[in-house]
Structure formats: structure tokens, C-alpha cells
């Protein structure tokens, strides 16, 4: 059998992650444009999600991306068409830097947990339901990565997807920002996502992360994340016992050298952030 269509032209292959600057459909109601801002913390880059029911003229944009990426904003606007709302998962610059540029181009209100990030609209409220672009979007507080981390459950025609920002990534594990994140909150957020996405449903809830590839089912990824965190805590407890040091007196980088010895040293500064959050968790036990 030939690998061409009736006109003798090979059909285009579906896009796969990473596809910089391309609108890639993930579900019938959620597509992504990957910004070309790869880095240690950003993995391949920041995912900007464009949401709309099939055939609907409006769209919702989630996380417009970092500053100084004008081409990315232009592509988001061109792909989105009539943007009626921008939603923000959390305060980190690689997700919010382009808020001003997108708002200027579209005039669409911007909503986030933090009031300072909003434009022409009120802050997000846990459990509120947003109806836009033919979709039902439920706001879920999922702090831990940062204090304002928010996830969005998107529903359309019996199908579901969860936009998680950096709470759950498409690959690797996330860093807990010790400035306002915390392990106790993070574990509670993972449990919340597992509960929200489990139970009797027609299909699994797709995972749409802030970085990395999407996954067809959030639940096994969230369970892995929870298991990984619990294992790290046990490792830190063991190292503290070996060193004869309490969580209050421990130096985070000394813990990193022991617990993350198998991790590339370029990632140690990020690991230090998570260790600080983990030590704070152990101090409060």
C-alpha cells in the first residue's frame, strides 16, 4: 500500500512534542504552542495552552509565556483568533512575562490567583466554574510549587483535561519554591488532583502540563510524583540521622550533595530549593 493520498502527496504527520512555534492539537478542545525558551527550569520551554470547543469562534489562553518572545505572542494570537480570556497558573516569569503583550494585542481580561497579575478582571477563586469558548473550566487551588499555583479542569462533551502549570510536569519532577511553596501543601495538591481525576468517568483525564509533553492520563503521573516525594523525604530523614543533625540545623546544600549525588550538578541549585522546602516540612512534623 502506498504512503500517499489520492493526489500522490504524503499526508502530514501529526505533530509531537517538542514542536516549537506550531499549534499542536492535544485534545479536540485543547491545543498547545511551545515557546522556544528551553532551560534547566523550563525543560524544552513553556507550554501556552489554547482552549476552545470544536468549531467555537472564541478561545481561552493559559500562560502566555515569557517576556521578549514577540514571535511566540504573535503566533498565540494568530492561532487563537478571538481571545476572550487569559488564565494564569502561577507567578513564575516564564509563564507570566508576556501578560502585558498579549493583553495589549487582544484586550482580553487576565485572571490569576494573585491580584497583581490580573488585568480587567477579579482574581481566581477556588472551585469557581468559568464558562467560556464553549467549555466548562473549574478552578482548583493546587499550591506547593508556589503559593499561588492553580490548576484548571477543562470539560467538553464528556471529555476532561487538567492544566497543571508546574504542579505536575510532562517529564521529570517539579521544584518547590521555598519563598512561598511548601511540601505539605504540595502533597495535599497531588492528592487533590488524584481525587479529582479518579472515579467513574467515560475516559481518563488528560494531563496538560506547563512544561514537557502531555499525557493521556494524569492519575498515574500524579501517583508517581507523590511516591517520588515520599521517597525523597525518607532519604533526607536517613541522611539527617547519619549526620546526627536535626532538620532545623541542617544545611540544605550538604543534604543535596548526599541525596542528589546521582543528579547532574547543574541541577543542584534547583534541588536545593526543594530540599529547603523538605527540611521545613520535617521541622513541622
Amino acid at each position: 500500500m502506498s504512503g500517499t493520498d489520492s493526489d500522490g502527496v504524503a499526508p502530514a504527520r501529526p505533530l509531537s512534542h517538542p514542536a516549537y512555534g506550531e499549534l499542536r492539537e492535544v485534545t479536540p478542545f485543547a491545543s498547545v504552542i511551545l515557546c522556544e525558551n528551553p532551560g534547566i527550569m523550563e525543560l524544552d520551554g513553556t507550554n501556552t495552552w489554547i482552549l476552545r470547543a470544536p468549531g467555537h469562534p472564541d478561545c481561552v489562553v493559559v500562560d502566555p509565556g515569557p517576556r521578549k518572545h514577540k514571535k511566540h505572542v504573535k503566533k498565540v494570537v494568530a492561532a487563537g483568533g478571538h481571545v476572550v480570556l487569559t488564565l494564569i497558573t502561577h507567578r513564575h516569569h516564564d509563564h507570566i512575562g508576556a501578560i502585558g503583550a498579549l493583553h495589549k494585542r487582544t484586550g482580553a481580561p487576565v485572571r490569576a490567583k494573585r491580584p497583581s497579575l490580573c488585568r480587567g478582571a477579579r482574581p481566581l477563586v477556588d472551585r469557581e466554574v468559568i464558562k467560556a469558548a464553549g467549555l466548562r473550566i473549574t478552578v482548583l487551588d493546587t499550591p506547593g510549587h508556589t503559593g499561588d499555583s492553580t490548576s484548571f479542569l477543562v470539560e467538553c462533551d464528556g471529555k476532561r483535561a487538567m492544566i497543571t502549570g508546574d504542579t505536575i510536569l510532562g517529564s521529570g519532577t517539579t521544584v518547590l519554591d521555598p519563598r512561598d511553596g511548601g511540601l505539605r501543601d504540595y502533597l495535599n495538591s497531588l492528592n487533590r488532583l488524584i481525587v479529582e481525576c479518579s472515579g467513574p468517568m467515560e475516559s481518563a483525564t488528560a494531563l496538560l502540563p506547563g512544561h514537557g509533553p502531555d499525557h493521556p492520563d494524569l492519575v498515574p503521573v500524579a501517583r508517581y510524583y507523590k511516591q517520588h516525594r515520599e521517597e525523597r523525604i525518607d532519604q533526607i530523614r536517613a541522611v539527617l540521622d547519619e549526620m546526627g543533625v536535626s532538620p532545623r540545623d541542617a544545611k540544605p546544600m550538604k543534604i543535596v550533595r548526599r541525596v542528589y549525588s546521582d543528579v547532574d550538578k547543574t541541577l543542584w541549585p534547583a534541588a536545593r530549593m526543594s530540599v529547603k522546602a523538605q527540611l521545613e516540612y520535617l521541622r513541622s512534623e
Side-chain angles (χ1 to χ4, degrees):
M1 180 179 290
S2 165
T4 61
D5 61 22
S6 59
D7 295 323
V9 178
R13 292 183 178 181
L15 293 172
S16 59
H17 180 89
Y20 290 114
E22 300 285 344
L23 181 68
R24 181 172 65 86
E25 182 178 296
V26 175
T27 78
F29 55 88
S31 297
V32 64
I33 297 181
L34 174 62
C35 184
E36 196 165 355
N37 63 317
I40 292 174
M41 304 294 282
E42 297 84 8
L43 303 181
D44 300 305
T46 301
N47 291 327
T48 295
W49 291 97
I50 298 177
L51 312 175
R52 59 157 53 90
H56 203 283
D58 300 337
C59 82
V60 175
V61 173
V62 182
D63 288 353
R67 292 184 63 191
K68 299 182 180 180
H69 285 262
K70 294 180 180 179
K71 289 182 180 179
H72 180 71
V73 174
K74 289 179 180 178
K75 288 175 180 177
V76 169
V77 172
H82 187 220
V83 181
V84 296
L85 177 64
T86 298
L87 297 174
I88 303 299
T89 61
H90 67 293
R91 62 174 173 77
H92 282 157
H93 66 88
D94 54 313
H95 296 258
I96 67 168
I99 283 178
L102 185 63
H103 182 62
K104 183 177 180 179
R105 283 179 171 270
T106 67
V110 180
R111 299 193 63 195
K113 188 72 176 178
R114 281 194 167 203
S116 61
L117 300 179
C118 296
R119 302 288 187 276
R122 62 186 175 85
L124 295 168
V125 177
D126 185 42
R127 277 292 174 193
E128 75 168 292
V129 174
I130 298 168
K131 293 184 179 180
L135 306 171
R136 176 185 171 92
I137 303 172
T138 304
V139 177
L140 299 173
D141 283 354
T142 49
H145 170 67
T146 61
D148 68 331
S149 286
T150 305
S151 298
F152 302 105
L153 175 62
V154 187
E155 298 175 277
C156 179
D157 295 332
K159 303 295 184 181
R160 294 157 49 104
M162 187 75 77
I163 295 178
T164 56
D166 289 3
T167 298
I168 299 179
L169 304 179
S171 60
T173 55
T174 197
V175 170
L176 305 184
D177 190 331
R179 288 173 292 180
D180 62 350
L183 183 56
R184 192 173 304 282
D185 281 345
Y186 187 69
L187 292 173
N188 288 338
S189 292
L190 291 179
N191 285 332
R192 184 177 198 188
L193 289 171
I194 291 168
V195 170
E196 288 287 342
C197 299
S198 300
M201 291 178 285
E202 292 182 9
S203 61
T205 302
L207 166 62
L208 311 181
H211 304 278
D214 48 277
H215 292 267
D217 190 354
L218 176 144
V219 172
V221 182
R223 285 178 174 157
Y224 164 76
Y225 265 55
K226 182 180 177 183
Q227 178 184 353
H228 171 77
R229 288 294 171 187
E230 291 170 344
E231 288 173 350
R232 282 295 193 210
I233 281 293
D234 287 342
Q235 289 174 324
I236 290 174
R237 284 194 184 100
V239 166
L240 291 174
D241 287 344
E242 290 173 10
M243 295 171 63
V245 177
S246 70
R248 187 169 302 279
D249 296 329
K251 303 296 183 183
M253 190 50 72
K254 288 187 177 181
I255 303 298
V256 169
R257 292 191 183 99
R258 299 282 292 273
V259 175
Y260 292 84
S261 59
D262 59 337
V263 174
D264 190 317
K265 288 185 179 181
T266 60
L267 299 175
W268 279 11
R272 182 178 181 273
M273 294 172 67
S274 287
V275 166
K276 287 181 70 174
Q278 290 161 333
L279 288 172
E280 184 62 35
Y281 172 83
L282 291 173
R283 291 184 193 113
S284 65
E285 280 190 324

